[in-house]
Amino acid sequence: MLQQLSLPNRIVFMFSAAIFLTIAAVIAYDTYSLQRAVKETYVRQLEGITTTINGRYEESHSIQDVQQTFDYIKHREDKVLMLALHGPSEKDYSILASTNREKVGAAAPKELQPSFKDGKTLIAYLNTSTDRPLVRLVAPLTEDGVTIGAIELLLDSSEEQIIVQKQLQKSIVVGITTAFLLIFVLWWFIRRLLVEPLLQLQQAAKQVEEGKPYIPTSLKGSQEIVQVGKAFNEMVNKLELRYLESITDPLTGVYNSAYFKRVLNEEMAKAKKQGGSMVLLFCDVDNFKMLNDNEGHVYGDQVLKTIAETIRNNVRSSDVVCRYGGEEFVIILPDCSQSDGLKIAEDIRQMVAIYGSHSLLTPVTISIGLAAFPKDADEGTLVHMADRAMYAAKTNGKNLVVSASELSHYKEQEYNRRRTNSNWHLNTIVSLARAVEVKDSYTHSHSEMVSRYASAIASTMGLPDEEVKKVAVAGLLHDVGKVGIPDSILNKEGKLTEEEYAIMKDHPVLGFNILSSVEEFQDILSYVLYHHERPDGKGYPEQLREEAIPLGARIIAVADAFHSMVSQRPYRKKPLTIEMAVQELLRGRGSQFDKDVVDLFLPIIDEMKEESSQSAKEDVDVK
């Protein structure tokens, strides 16, 4: 039962029970003391009568005098109902004198023998058919210190019983009143000093559980209670700090992606339940990788911090700003229509562009995709639609705000843009390759052949088509850095000096720098930069070893070396035969060249030899 009560009620119940038990014990003791006092009064009355009878009996030894004394006492005392003298007879003790003459001569009751024989005073309350309560007293009759009989006294105790009952009732009333007063005072103190602080703590804990803003609680009570309150506040503050750290992006100070996913589901459920609308903005910083490469990561981090602060300053207080990952931000706009969301997104875009215009070399802009729930997407596709809209903004010039409802319009533009970019991309590649050929007359068609060999190797290895394409493009552009090498070194006949060779070894780095400014070439930069690295770590520019060298670079290294060996070079007028070049590849297998790439390239060489022989035979037959 106690377990079902609340802690405050349990405390009050236990203290109330203790008070009632204490008051009951006091009343019981008071009743016992009163009854004991009444008994002592009866005994003193009996002792007075006994002393009188003893005196008369010792003087005259006359039973008649005792009888007269009994009659006189009964006549004077209304409470005295019967007096009797018990003394020894021929057989045993018998009644020698009594106010009830009929009992004279009768045998004394057996229960009075302790008084006759041992000199004990006996007292007993009698239950009779009358309404009056009776008390029976028996005291020994002595002569010269020797018990010679006993005096029996029967009294009407109704008056004393009434006094005892009234006193008992008074004690009960006083006790219960005192108990309730004590309980009330105790309850007041307990509530003020213990219950109210506990209720405050309970309410504070409930606020924390429900995720409401926590207001530090101030407990009033004993020193221990105050300390508990302080400890609770400190604990909540630490929990809130840890919780904020768990949902906050450490760099920008906005919420992280884990918090975004949780709040997004909550807001979509709320909008669906209330029949409202919400908007999701998907933001991506334009050209951020190039900015990081050109300005450094420290500057890039500062840009992200500033953009996050700009976004927060241009949204409503109820909106939730999160960093989704890298240079991407997502913004949840609860209770927001599509038109209002577009206005907020456009404000953000403009403010970021204003901030980014401060640097002419690395301007900063942002592309934003917008999707409204439930108009543009359901719970499962909202993020995807906002992401698609953002991608449409990036592929159509960047620094744009695109709504998911506009995607069909942007698809046609995207197709035209891709076709234009593809042509531009191809023209750029060809132009760069031609620039190297113009610079180095000995490399005529070298880039095309390396690209052909490399793509054949990549295709034989089972790489995806997109990766094969990257390797082919990297093969075309692997020597683009030679445009920065002096002609005297590039076209020198004979062996290069150490200083000249050191300059020549810079061409992979020069090529990397030339291509890094073009976004479309970002995926092939490492192939161009590391195509002269060796598995044994003796290559350049960074002496990478084995698997640390990108696979595309390892493929181009074999293709480049093979075609160089079978081609005329400034330092070698007569090229090597295919068989001699194969022997060089085998000699460098595992040290200079990747052994798996060499093993896959040798069958390709054989196929090319067969094709060449077949072509030569057909030419002879035609002639």
Side-chain angles (χ1 to χ4, degrees):
M1 177 181 176
L2 284 177
Q3 294 179 351
Q4 298 176 352
L5 296 175
S6 64
L7 179 60
N9 291 336
R10 201 181 306 175
I11 293 172
V12 172
F13 177 82
M14 289 190 295
F15 274 102
S16 299
I19 290 173
F20 274 112
L21 288 174
T22 302
I23 296 297
V26 171
I27 292 174
Y29 179 77
D30 189 38
T31 303
Y32 169 78
S33 300
L34 184 59
Q35 290 178 345
R36 184 177 180 85
V38 171
K39 288 182 180 179
E40 290 177 352
T41 301
Y42 291 152
V43 171
R44 284 195 295 271
Q45 289 179 346
L46 182 58
E47 288 177 349
I49 294 173
T50 304
T51 302
T52 302
I53 298 301
N54 273 336
R56 295 292 299 274
Y57 187 75
E58 288 180 355
E59 290 178 359
S60 61
H61 290 279
S62 171
I63 298 300
Q64 187 63 34
D65 289 342
V66 174
Q67 184 66 57
Q68 290 177 356
T69 304
F70 283 176
D71 292 339
Y72 175 76
I73 293 173
K74 185 176 182 304
H75 177 71
R76 291 291 304 271
E77 298 291 339
D78 295 335
K79 293 181 180 181
V80 177
L81 301 179
M82 191 272 291
L83 279 166
L85 174 63
H86 301 271
S89 61
E90 296 179 357
K91 296 181 179 179
D92 202 350
Y93 284 85
S94 62
I95 299 176
L96 303 179
S98 175
T99 55
N100 187 353
R101 299 291 194 280
E102 296 178 356
K103 291 187 177 183
V104 176
K110 297 292 185 181
E111 62 266 20
L112 303 184
Q113 288 187 5
S115 184
F116 306 153
K117 298 180 178 180
D118 302 329
K120 293 182 178 181
T121 300
L122 306 179
I123 184 170
Y125 291 95
L126 303 179
N127 294 321
T128 63
S129 59
T130 63
D131 295 333
R132 295 184 299 178
L134 304 178
V135 62
R136 187 182 189 183
L137 300 167
V138 180
L141 181 64
T142 61
E143 184 178 2
D144 296 331
V146 179
T147 302
I148 61 173
I151 297 175
E152 179 184 5
L153 174 64
L154 191 63
L155 295 176
D156 179 2
S157 63
S158 56
E159 183 178 347
E160 287 79 4
Q161 291 298 322
I162 292 173
I163 294 173
V164 171
Q165 188 176 7
K166 287 182 178 180
Q167 185 63 34
L168 178 60
Q169 292 174 349
K170 181 179 177 181
S171 299
I172 292 174
V173 171
V174 172
I176 293 175
T177 303
T178 304
F180 277 111
L181 286 174
L182 288 175
I183 290 172
F184 176 78
V185 173
L186 181 62
W187 174 85
W188 186 84
F189 275 106
I190 290 175
R191 182 172 183 82
R192 185 171 181 83
L193 299 179
L194 183 61
V195 175
E196 288 182 356
L198 289 177
L199 291 176
Q200 283 183 265
L201 281 177
Q202 183 184 37
Q203 186 65 27
K206 190 174 181 181
Q207 288 181 347
V208 174
E209 181 182 5
E210 294 175 353
K212 296 179 180 178
Y214 178 70
I215 301 175
T217 182
S218 178
L219 301 183
K220 295 180 180 180
S222 64
Q223 183 178 0
E224 292 78 8
I225 291 294
V226 173
Q227 289 177 349
V228 169
K230 290 181 179 179
F232 183 81
N233 288 334
E234 291 177 2
M235 179 189 70
V236 173
N237 289 334
K238 289 180 180 179
L239 288 175
E240 285 189 336
L241 181 60
R242 291 181 182 178
Y243 174 68
L244 285 175
E245 289 176 350
S246 70
I247 64 174
T248 302
D249 175 58
L251 175 64
T252 61
V254 299
Y255 294 113
N256 58 24
S257 59
Y259 184 75
F260 160 72
K261 294 173 184 177
R262 193 187 83 188
V263 174
L264 179 65
N265 291 331
E266 293 175 355
E267 291 298 335
M268 286 192 294
K270 180 181 176 181
K272 187 174 183 179
K273 181 178 180 180
Q274 297 178 354
S277 173
M278 63 158 289
V279 170
L280 176 65
L281 303 182
F282 207 117
C283 312
D284 187 273
V285 182
D286 299 325
N287 303 319
F288 188 72
K289 186 177 187 302
M290 186 185 304
L291 182 146
N292 259 342
D293 292 339
N294 294 338
E295 302 291 344
H297 290 280
V298 175
Y299 179 77
D301 290 346
Q302 185 58 46
V303 168
L304 291 177
K305 292 178 184 179
T306 305
I307 290 179
E309 187 64 25
T310 302
I311 293 174
R312 282 194 293 194
N313 292 337
N314 288 275
V315 297
R316 305 167 303 175
S317 59
S318 59
D319 299 335
V320 181
V321 181
C322 307
R323 185 182 179 191
Y324 195 70
E327 67 273 19
E328 295 177 333
F329 295 88
V330 284
I331 310 167
I332 301 173
L333 308 177
D335 300 323
C336 183
S337 63
Q338 185 183 51
S339 58
D340 291 338
L342 284 170
K343 184 178 182 304
I344 294 173
E346 187 61 30
D347 290 342
I348 293 172
R349 185 199 65 77
Q350 291 180 5
M351 295 306 298
V352 172
I354 292 172
Y355 155 73
S357 64
H358 295 164
S359 174
L360 296 177
L361 296 178
T362 55
V364 178
T365 59
I366 192 169
S367 297
I368 303 176
L370 180 150
F373 175 84
K375 180 181 179 181
D376 296 330
D378 57 19
E379 294 93 329
T381 59
L382 183 65
V383 176
H384 174 67
M385 294 302 294
D387 184 35
R388 284 185 57 192
M390 181 273 293
Y391 182 75
K394 292 186 74 67
T395 55
N396 283 276
K398 304 177 182 177
N399 192 24
L400 290 175
V401 176
V402 174
S403 172
S405 60
E406 301 176 294
L407 285 176
S408 58
H409 168 70
Y410 278 97
K411 281 183 179 179
E412 183 176 353
Q413 293 186 6
E414 171 67 8
Y415 171 76
N416 294 331
R417 189 197 67 80
R418 281 180 177 272
R419 185 172 62 181
T420 302
N421 286 350
S422 178
N423 293 334
W424 177 87
H425 191 193
L426 180 60
N427 292 334
T428 301
I429 294 172
V430 173
S431 298
L432 289 171
R434 292 288 183 267
V436 177
E437 292 181 3
V438 171
K439 182 81 172 176
D440 183 3
S441 59
Y442 285 96
T443 61
H444 179 66
S445 300
H446 172 69
S447 296
E448 286 87 343
M449 292 306 299
V450 171
S451 175
R452 179 184 173 189
Y453 295 158
S455 62
I457 296 171
S459 180
T460 303
M461 296 181 76
L463 299 181
D465 292 342
E466 187 66 24
E467 184 63 26
V468 173
K469 181 180 178 181
K470 292 178 184 177
V471 172
V473 173
L476 278 173
L477 301 177
H478 74 285
D479 277 341
V480 70
K482 288 184 177 180
V483 299
I485 303 298
D487 293 347
S488 59
I489 297 176
L490 196 63
N491 297 313
K492 180 179 180 180
E493 297 181 2
K495 188 176 181 180
L496 299 177
T497 64
E498 290 184 5
E499 292 79 6
E500 292 171 337
Y501 184 59
I503 295 174
M504 178 63 78
K505 289 197 298 183
D506 286 338
H507 81 271
V509 177
L510 293 174
F512 175 88
N513 292 333
I514 292 171
L515 298 176
S516 62
S517 60
V518 182
E519 184 177 358
E520 286 76 6
F521 294 150
Q522 300 303 307
D523 293 337
I524 67 169
L525 293 178
S526 61
Y527 301 168
V528 174
L529 180 62
Y530 299 126
H531 75 276
H532 278 295
E533 297 286 358
R534 296 169 45 133
D536 59 7
K538 296 180 180 180
Y540 59 88
E542 296 183 9
Q543 293 79 49
L544 301 182
R545 301 178 66 91
E546 297 182 350
E547 298 297 326
I549 307 170
L551 178 59
R554 285 179 270 157
I555 293 173
I556 293 172
V558 174
D560 180 35
F562 176 77
H563 190 263
S564 295
M565 287 187 287
V566 297
S567 303
Q568 186 178 5
R569 311 295 287 176
Y571 52 83
R572 185 182 59 244
K573 300 298 182 180
K574 185 177 181 181
L576 300 180
T577 63
I578 292 178
E579 290 74 12
M580 294 170 64
V582 168
Q583 290 301 316
E584 289 296 323
L585 291 178
L586 292 173
R587 186 177 296 109
R589 179 180 178 275
S591 57
Q592 182 178 355
F593 308 114
D594 184 279
K595 58 183 180 180
D596 294 332
V597 176
V598 171
D599 293 342
L600 287 171
F601 187 44
L602 294 180
I604 295 174
I605 295 174
D606 292 337
E607 290 179 6
M608 288 191 298
K609 286 171 59 178
E610 291 180 5
E611 289 178 2
S612 178
S613 298
Q614 184 66 28
S615 176
K617 183 178 179 182
E618 290 177 356
D619 289 341
V620 172
D621 292 341
V622 170
K623 292 179 180 179

